[in-house]
Amino acid sequence: MSTNGKTSRILQFMAPDERRQFGIETPFHLLAWQMRDILGDGGILKEVVHAGEGPPVPKHASVSIHFSGFIEYSDAPFETTSHLKYPRMMKLGRDVTLYGLELGLLTMKKGEFSRFLFKPKYAYGDLGCPPHIPPLATVLYEVQVLDFLDSAQVDEFMDLSMDEQNSVSLSTFLNVLDTQRSFGNLCFNKKRYEDARERYKQAMTLLQNRELVDDEEKQRLEEMKLPFLLNLSLTYLKLEKPQKALCYGQKVLDINPQNTKALFRCGQFTIKREDFMELLI
């Protein structure tokens, strides 16, 4: 994508129409020929480099992506997440601020790697973003979708009052809890233990605030607590807080005294405690 020497620096500040007037085939112009117009107005062009799997990213998803943005005639990105081993989850409509990038993500699937050309209308507009992005700049983004979760139902539920939350059906409530657990597990697998803990604790708060209709629902929700308590126990071990880990392991045993995972967690606590005692000697 680079052109060496003084000419490339001059071309960087020439308007696209001016370049074409002089018969100059720019790198972005050449790249555009092999890309697909996803909106029909030429504003967002896409090339799939590596296809993904499953359904496309939904409108209200939270996504984990790697991306790098380039202006024309520059080999170095003006922004990138390539230095991050585990990029944070970003909520569409809130955390993804570039309009073109958000629209482009809605066409992508998990595992997909694609390139996009965003015209100024879908990027940084007439003024650009000095000093890195000149006015009326078309920008190139290379994007990989690592993972995503549809958080629309959780977002809607969390906006409800406590009375309204208690009025939703049990199936909807369980779906919200499942999504919270998926969020927590995703954070845990990316070693973001503080974030995982908050997701699990938030789910436990929802469970404790739920007004129970009958004994059957009570039994079902008691069983639903088990994976969150176990996950909290393991998360606190990772956070080097074995006393907290033991506390949550014991909560599991209060519900199910024969739970093998909880017994194992409590055993891990014992080992951790002995390690700490050795350090104090």
Side-chain angles (χ1 to χ4, degrees), residues 38-213:
I38 67 173
L39 295 181
D41 64 354
I44 301 178
L45 304 180
K46 176 182 179 181
E47 175 192 14
V48 177
V49 180
H50 178 77
E53 297 181 348
V57 175
K59 185 175 181 180
H60 299 286
S62 293
V63 298
S64 176
I65 61 174
H66 270 308
F67 65 89
S68 297
F70 301 85
I71 59 171
E72 203 162 21
Y73 298 104
S74 176
D75 291 323
F78 58 82
E79 68 169 342
T80 184
T81 62
S82 61
H83 60 289
L84 300 175
K85 186 175 182 180
Y86 301 113
R88 68 184 181 91
M89 296 290 286
M90 296 192 296
K91 172 71 176 174
L92 296 185
R94 185 185 66 196
D95 302 321
V96 181
T97 56
L98 196 72
Y99 186 40
L101 179 57
E102 179 157 349
L103 294 177
L105 283 169
L106 296 176
T107 71
M108 300 185 70
K109 300 178 180 180
K110 183 177 177 179
E112 179 180 329
F113 176 75
S114 289
R115 294 190 182 99
F116 294 92
L117 281 176
F118 300 130
K119 293 294 179 66
K121 175 182 176 181
Y122 297 98
Y124 295 92
D126 295 347
L127 300 179
C129 188
H132 302 295
I133 302 168
L136 292 169
T138 294
V139 294
L140 170 69
Y141 269 75
E142 297 181 338
V143 185
Q144 181 184 15
V145 175
L146 304 176
D147 210 342
F148 67 83
L149 286 170
D150 188 349
S151 55
Q153 192 174 46
V154 171
D155 295 336
E156 292 172 3
F157 184 85
M158 298 306 293
D159 287 338
L160 299 175
S161 68
M162 191 174 296
D163 288 340
E164 290 171 328
Q165 289 180 358
N166 279 308
S167 68
V168 304
S169 67
L170 180 60
S171 60
T172 298
F173 183 66
L174 293 177
N175 286 337
V176 170
L177 292 175
D178 282 337
T179 302
Q180 287 291 72
R181 183 167 55 175
S182 295
F183 267 112
N185 292 349
L186 185 62
C187 293
F188 184 93
N189 291 333
K190 293 183 176 182
K191 304 185 188 307
R192 302 170 94 76
Y193 301 124
E194 297 282 354
D195 293 335
R197 179 191 62 184
E198 292 311 306
R199 288 288 181 176
Y200 298 143
K201 290 186 72 173
Q202 190 177 57
M204 285 300 302
T205 299
L206 294 178
L207 280 162
Q208 291 161 1
N209 290 340
R210 177 77 175 180
E211 292 181 359
L212 304 176
V213 176

Side-chain angles (χ1 to χ4, degrees), residues 220-236:
R220 191 163 183 184
L221 293 186
E222 282 293 292
E223 293 174 355
M224 194 70 184
K225 291 178 182 178
L226 295 178
F228 291 108
L229 292 171
L230 286 166
N231 288 348
L232 278 166
S233 180
L234 181 58
T235 301
Y236 275 113

Side-chain angles (χ1 to χ4, degrees), residues 241-261:
K241 296 181 179 180
Q243 188 69 47
K244 287 270 192 181
L246 176 64
C247 176
Y248 283 102
Q250 289 177 330
K251 288 178 183 291
V252 175
L253 294 176
D254 290 341
I255 299 172
N256 181 359
Q258 303 304 318
N259 188 283
T260 54
K261 285 189 177 180

